[in-house]
Amino acid sequence: MNEGMQNQSVGREKKCDRLRVPQSIMTASQCELTDLKLNVVEGELPDKLQGHVFIVAPVGSVDSGGLPYPDGSPIFNGDGMIYRLDFDRKGEVRITNRIAQTPCYYADQATKPGSKYANYNFQNHGLSRFSKALGVRNQLNTAFLNMRFSEDAIDRLLVTFDAGRPYEIDTESLEVVTPVGSNVEWRPEISRGFPFAPVLSTAHPVFDAFTDEMFIVNYGRSFGNFLETIPLIYEAEKLPQAIKKVLEAIARFLNAQKIVKFLLSKISQFFGCIFQFFLNLIEKIAKINLQNFVYLIRWDGVGEFDRWKLVLSDRSPVIINQSLHQIGLTRNYIILMDTAFSVGLAQTFNNPIPKHKHIEQAIRDILSRPVSPDKVAKFGFSMLKI
């Protein structure tokens, strides 16, 4: 490489260094603040600036006290922290923040390691935080939905999550007020009698300001049938240390042998296809739906939902292969998008034994399947006329 090319390479590296995401964006605290004045370190606030800015983001769990996680769990798996920046005082900006303290948040607090009820504790498994006795955390850490129904004097604000019901919050105190809909109005992905059942929804519902209606979805996937075996994941944690050492050695071997990983992945895909074939056969013979379901929900801000189960033209159920992370709204249509973002209890299988990274990596390589890059294009334009 000549000197000119070397200088260009060094220049590109320096530019890349400047463009890197700062490490601080991966760091968060669970500390709550009330009406704290912030220092403006550069420039001045415009005199006419007023109003409030709302932000929500994950901030770790009761186990970690913040981010990053020591065990490398995804930052998206964390309690939702709601922030409000206030610009209602001339020349000042103040901040108030609160953790979205849902009932399952208090259960997480009560069962954390070292507590009286630690045997029921929640653990991070990939993108899910799960307890074998209590169910799944609704962490409310993803997005907001602003609503203003005709009978309301002020705007109302929902905080949302892909794997749980949205909650309405008090915009003054930032406390969660109430979930949208009762438990019986939401169908869980699986039914095992969990106090906190796994409910799949969308983190981005929509509000129609012309008709004063909120639209959201509730769905489930047939893969949830596998999840009846989730307690076995916790039994794996109790394996003798010698067996875990053997599993780790096998995992290292699988990670090192590309041909072995390739063959195992193909075997996994083959048996997955066999299972899906028999699942489809049972559905057709018995004329029943084994867990695949999508409900469109309409809510007017009070009372119970209106809810419709969605089927295709041949009366077969609408199947979501990945997630309904987002839905859209036009004058005449609701748009459902099967997006390349996998959520729910299925993610538990991506990290069944979180304390043993070599085993985890091998399981990821064998069982994980790539997201479908064309799902939005295929399903996104399947629209429902309102």
Side-chain angles (χ1 to χ4, degrees):
M1 183 181 294
N2 61 41
E3 184 177 349
M5 294 179 64
Q6 288 179 335
N7 290 337
Q8 290 179 4
S9 177
V10 171
R12 284 195 297 268
E13 289 178 1
K14 289 182 178 179
K15 185 178 180 180
C16 289
D17 287 340
R18 291 196 299 269
L19 296 176
R20 286 176 181 168
V21 175
Q23 190 63 35
S24 59
I25 203 171
M26 309 289 285
T27 304
S29 169
Q30 291 211 326
C31 179
E32 296 182 328
L33 308 170
T34 302
D35 198 31
L36 176 69
K37 181 180 177 180
L38 300 180
N39 295 322
V40 180
V41 296
E42 185 175 338
E44 295 181 353
L45 295 174
D47 289 340
K48 295 183 179 180
L49 185 62
Q50 56 183 313
H52 311 273
V53 174
F54 289 86
I55 302 169
V56 63
V59 291
S61 71
V62 298
D63 293 343
S64 66
L67 293 173
Y69 282 114
D71 64 357
S73 293
I75 64 170
F76 295 110
N77 182 352
D79 296 323
M81 180 74 83
I82 302 167
Y83 303 84
R84 189 185 66 234
L85 298 173
D86 301 321
F87 298 93
D88 51 356
R89 304 180 194 181
K90 185 177 179 180
E92 292 184 7
V93 55
R94 293 175 176 268
I95 186 171
T96 297
N97 65 317
R98 294 287 182 272
I99 292 176
Q101 298 181 3
T102 56
C104 61
Y105 168 82
Y106 290 105
D108 205 349
Q109 286 274 6
T111 59
K112 63 183 179 182
S115 68
K116 181 179 178 180
Y117 304 103
N119 287 338
Y120 306 100
N121 74 311
F122 292 82
Q123 296 182 27
N124 289 342
H125 293 277
L127 290 178
S128 300
R129 186 162 174 82
F130 178 76
S131 163
K132 64 178 179 179
L134 301 178
V136 180
R137 285 292 318 277
N138 180 3
Q139 295 171 309
L140 296 179
N141 64 21
T142 309
F144 294 114
L145 179 67
N146 182 55
M147 309 179 301
R148 187 166 189 171
F149 299 97
S150 57
E151 68 274 12
D152 295 329
I154 59 174
D155 288 7
R156 295 162 66 177
L157 192 63
L158 300 182
V159 61
T160 66
F161 189 53
D162 284 284
R165 297 179 291 172
Y167 270 68
E168 186 168 350
I169 67 170
D170 185 318
T171 55
E172 290 294 327
S173 68
L174 302 186
E175 303 287 347
V176 295
V177 177
T178 182
V180 174
S182 63
N183 281 326
V184 295
E185 292 181 273
W186 291 88
R187 180 175 172 180
E189 189 177 18
I190 59 170
S191 298
R192 287 185 58 89
F194 291 126
F196 306 111
V199 171
L200 292 183
S201 183
T202 175
H204 300 280
V206 291
F207 181 72
D208 190 334
F210 292 96
T211 63
D212 288 341
E213 296 169 326
M214 187 267 277
F215 292 92
I216 195 168
V217 290
N218 174 203
Y219 69 101
R221 300 181 298 238
S222 60
F223 184 71
N225 290 298
F226 285 117
L227 303 178
E228 298 292 341
T229 62
I230 274 183
L232 296 178
I233 293 171
Y234 283 80
E235 296 303 318
E237 282 291 336
K238 302 176 184 178
L239 289 173
Q241 192 63 29
I243 295 179
K244 289 180 181 178
K245 291 290 185 182
V246 172
L247 290 176
E248 287 190 355
I250 295 172
R252 289 192 186 95
F253 172 77
L254 293 178
N255 286 330
Q257 305 298 319
K258 293 183 179 181
I259 184 64
V260 175
K261 291 197 300 185
F262 174 78
L263 292 174
L264 287 174
S265 67
K266 292 300 180 184
I267 292 172
S268 174
Q269 292 174 19
F270 172 75
F271 282 107
C273 291
I274 293 290
F275 175 83
Q276 191 62 50
F277 171 78
F278 281 107
L279 195 63
N280 294 338
L281 186 62
I282 292 171
E283 286 183 352
K284 289 181 179 179
I285 293 175
K287 296 183 179 180
I288 59 173
N289 171 30
L290 295 180
Q291 296 291 341
N292 283 314
F293 62 88
V294 179
Y295 292 97
L296 177 65
I297 292 170
R298 181 178 66 190
W299 188 49
D300 62 3
V302 294
E304 297 182 350
F305 293 151
D306 292 321
R307 187 173 73 166
W308 298 272
K309 185 175 181 179
L310 304 184
V311 296
L312 301 176
S313 57
D314 62 357
R315 311 304 297 174
S316 63
V318 172
I319 296 175
I320 304 302
N321 291 310
Q322 295 178 117
S323 76
L324 287 174
H325 175 68
Q326 187 165 0
I327 63 176
L329 176 72
T330 71
R331 182 187 296 271
N332 297 313
Y333 294 93
I334 299 291
I335 306 170
L336 306 185
M337 294 168 275
D338 192 346
T339 48
F341 175 59
S342 298
V343 296
L345 280 183
Q347 294 302 307
T348 300
F349 287 100
N350 281 341
N351 192 2
I353 311 177
K355 296 179 182 178
H356 299 273
K357 295 300 179 182
H358 294 295
I359 301 175
E360 171 201 341
Q361 186 60 52
I363 292 175
R364 282 180 183 273
D365 289 341
I366 295 169
L367 296 183
S368 295
R369 63 178 181 178
V371 296
S372 301
D374 60 345
K375 275 300 173 186
V376 171
K378 284 184 177 179
F379 191 75
F381 296 100
S382 296
M383 300 183 287
L384 307 168
K385 190 172 178 64
I386 299 175

